[in-house]
Amino acid sequence: QRRVISMSFAMGYEQMKAILEKRLKASRFQHSLGVSATAETLAGKFGVDVEQAHVAGLLHDCAREFRNEAMIAEAERRAIPIGPVERAMPLLLHAYIGARRVREIYGVDDPAVEQAIWRHTVGGAAMTDLDKIIWFADMIEPGREYPEVEHLRQLAKTVSLDEMVLAGLSASIQFVVAKGHLIHPDTVLARNEILLKGISSAH
């Protein structure tokens, strides 16, 4: 039996899940369930609102219902700013479009959830704990398979939220560099902020 859902959500989790399942391909839907469950666990561990994490995790990829080549048009329809990196890699726009879709389709009126979805791919400046949890849950949910994932899953059990996210950001940047792809400036901002916070607190 789930807890009563926040008034910021016009529908219950199961209703959101049923709508999402119809709109995403099966593998993307399973990934979304994995991120939702992982985010809920991390939220409980780090003292973040569990319901917000559960819903943001479920809906973080809701805009993946659109084809990659449709992302720019969908972003423009919603007056979402498109930077040079997004224009070169339109798939990144799914995070920003998804942050708007949660209100349009799923009845979510919660700026914290919208922001966490907006930032779940490349991060950003002044990330909240919820932002960090959704970003990291997306990296380590049970369906993910890549060389560093087990190490990152272990970190989630043993270190602070910032240490965990710092390791994830570093791994993400190294992966993108190895692929020869563009690095989004928001990812660098997010990593630098955590490092600078650690440096200033050490003095």
Side-chain angles (χ1 to χ4, degrees):
Q1 184 65 41
R2 292 209 53 75
R3 296 170 295 286
V4 175
I5 202 150
S6 159
M7 293 301 288
S8 299
F9 307 129
M11 61 182 75
Y13 183 88
E14 293 301 321
Q15 193 179 351
M16 293 178 195
K17 193 166 88 172
I19 294 170
L20 188 72
E21 186 171 17
K22 291 190 179 83
R23 289 177 169 270
L24 296 184
K25 67 179 186 181
S27 59
R28 180 66 49 189
F29 178 67
Q30 287 305 314
H31 164 72
S32 300
L33 296 181
V35 174
S36 184
T38 304
E40 187 175 24
T41 300
L42 291 173
K45 174 176 168 56
F46 292 111
V48 171
D49 186 292
V50 170
E51 212 65 71
Q52 286 179 320
H54 202 216
V55 169
L58 177 71
L59 299 179
H60 78 287
D61 267 354
C62 66
R64 292 298 291 269
E65 67 177 276
F66 298 119
R67 295 186 322 279
N68 199 19
E69 53 271 25
M71 292 289 182
I72 287 177
E74 291 294 334
E76 286 172 344
R77 276 184 54 214
R78 294 168 177 80
I80 292 168
I82 303 173
V85 177
E86 287 89 358
R87 205 163 283 282
M89 302 172 68
L91 181 62
L92 295 176
L93 292 167
H94 82 273
Y96 315 150
I97 298 164
R100 301 284 168 82
R101 290 296 274 173
V102 294
R103 192 182 289 261
E104 294 167 6
I105 303 291
Y106 300 92
V108 173
D109 179 17
D110 187 327
V113 168
E114 291 171 36
Q115 177 173 293
I117 291 171
W118 183 285
R119 293 175 162 187
H120 85 263
T121 300
V122 297
M127 287 176 79
T128 65
D129 287 353
L130 179 62
D131 295 344
K132 291 171 183 173
I133 280 170
I134 301 306
W135 186 89
F136 198 79
D138 191 21
M139 279 195 89
I140 67 159
E141 64 92 5
R144 290 288 197 200
E145 290 180 18
Y146 55 92
E148 300 86 6
V149 71
E150 280 308 324
H151 172 64
L152 293 174
R153 286 177 182 140
Q154 288 307 310
L155 286 182
K157 298 173 184 172
T158 56
V159 301
S160 73
L161 180 57
D162 274 357
E163 288 173 296
M164 174 184 97
V165 173
L166 179 62
L169 287 163
S170 298
S172 176
I173 289 169
Q174 287 167 342
F175 174 80
V176 173
V177 168
K179 290 275 187 186
H181 293 164
L182 295 165
I183 296 173
H184 198 287
D186 283 352
T187 309
V188 178
L189 262 179
R191 183 175 180 273
N192 284 351
E193 260 188 18
I194 294 174
L195 277 173
L196 288 167
K197 191 162 80 173
I199 289 164
S200 64
S201 65
H203 291 133

